[in-house]
Amino acid sequence: MIRFLWFDLGYTLARTNREDVYRKALERFDVFRNAEEIALAYHRTDKLFMREYPGVLGKDSRAFLPWYIGTLNYYLRLPLPIEEVLQVQRSLAQEWPIEWKAYDGARETLRYLKSLGYRLGLISNWDESARTVLARNGLDEELDEIVISSEVGLEKPNPDIFRLALSRGDVSASESLYIGDNYYDDVIGSQKIGMHCLLINAYGNRGIEELSYHPIISGIQEVAAYLGHAQVPLEMNR
């Protein structure tokens, strides 16, 4: 029986406003793409990096950003000069900073899952800003245990970070469910120690066509239903 739900942070509990910022950057080149086109291009770029270059996205962005922007523009069918795009992004940084914000309903979903009797935790590959992101969004208040790679010196998919979390939560792998958006970090890592894993992909199988993994959900608002419960009551989303 599942007693403990463990979550990833980025693109599981929280997301950035990167699509809006990039749309502003493209307008400087008289290029126009709608929010959905940009969001899907980001999604495909993330998934390609997760598959082909594991661990890179969790590192200093200066090490991979030109490479990443080139891939993003490929999916947007844009032959733009990467260095010029990066310069425009830097010029927009003060007016349009990239910010991490909880998904709509994320905090309410966590609160609802706690009301059902589940304990909740976080296992995330993140730098020292993780605690700030959690606190700003009120997510830390809903979590019983928080395990962050930069604090413990371990990163997913290393099974030891999952073992550490289980030890802190005083729960077994078979009683735990991990929810995350990166198959190569989240599913492979958690399954190495026998944890169940629920994969989030907002676009069905797009970006992960090479996989036949199930179950897949579109976001954490579907976790309760997956566990056999009713959806989050409307009054909790007010």
Side-chain angles (χ1 to χ4, degrees):
M1 183 178 72
I2 301 298
R3 296 195 298 116
F4 212 122
L5 307 177
W6 299 92
F7 294 88
D8 179 37
L9 178 52
Y11 287 87
T12 297
L13 295 177
R15 59 172 297 167
T16 70
N17 56 332
R18 61 185 181 176
E19 295 87 0
D20 294 332
V21 175
Y22 204 64
R23 185 157 49 88
K24 291 288 182 184
L26 292 180
E27 288 173 2
R28 297 286 182 91
F29 296 90
D30 293 321
V31 171
F32 301 92
R33 293 287 189 273
N34 64 44
E36 184 60 24
E37 288 178 293
I38 296 173
L40 180 56
Y42 266 112
H43 173 82
R44 287 194 176 280
T45 303
D46 285 346
K47 298 307 177 187
L48 183 146
F49 271 68
M50 289 174 183
R51 178 177 69 248
E52 302 294 338
Y53 315 110
V56 169
L57 293 181
K59 302 298 186 290
D60 187 334
S61 65
R62 291 172 296 181
F64 66 84
L65 195 54
W67 184 15
Y68 186 95
I69 293 298
T71 305
L72 179 66
N73 285 342
Y74 169 80
Y75 284 122
L76 287 168
R77 305 174 306 283
L78 296 174
L80 295 176
I82 293 173
E83 283 304 320
E84 290 184 30
V85 172
L86 292 173
Q87 287 176 11
V88 168
Q89 283 190 306
R90 286 191 286 267
S91 72
L92 291 171
Q94 276 198 314
E95 185 180 359
W96 295 89
I98 298 292
E99 298 176 325
W100 283 95
K101 293 187 176 180
Y103 279 103
D104 290 343
R107 188 178 181 186
E108 292 76 12
T109 297
L110 294 180
R111 191 174 299 142
Y112 175 54
L113 292 168
K114 287 191 80 170
S115 76
L116 295 172
Y118 296 102
R119 296 177 65 209
L120 308 180
L122 181 90
I123 307 172
S124 179
N125 287 354
W126 208 282
D127 61 21
E128 64 279 357
S129 68
R131 298 272 178 179
T132 301
V133 172
L134 291 168
R136 282 180 179 169
N137 289 281
L139 297 172
D140 55 341
E141 300 173 8
E142 311 302 332
L143 298 169
D144 299 297
E145 298 290 343
I146 296 174
V147 178
I148 300 165
S149 63
S150 60
E151 296 179 356
V152 301
L154 296 165
E155 292 187 349
K156 300 177 296 180
N158 186 333
D160 286 341
I161 194 171
F162 295 96
R163 291 191 182 101
L164 175 62
L166 294 179
S167 175
R168 288 187 178 182
D170 191 26
V171 66
S172 69
S174 62
E175 295 172 310
S176 297
L177 174 67
Y178 190 75
I179 300 104
D181 70 310
N182 184 341
Y183 174 84
Y184 299 95
D185 279 356
D186 301 333
V187 176
I188 289 178
S190 62
Q191 286 190 340
K192 282 180 180 178
I193 63 165
M195 287 177 73
H196 308 282
C197 188
L198 193 52
L199 182 64
I200 289 179
N201 197 57
Y203 295 90
N205 74 331
R206 286 203 275 185
I208 55 171
E209 290 88 352
E210 79 280 9
L211 303 177
S212 58
Y213 179 79
H214 293 285
I216 296 174
I217 59 173
S218 64
I220 65 162
Q221 71 280 1
E222 296 179 19
V223 172
Y226 172 79
L227 292 167
H229 304 287
Q231 293 184 341
V232 181
L234 289 177
E235 60 269 20
M236 294 192 76
N237 281 318
R238 290 173 185 164

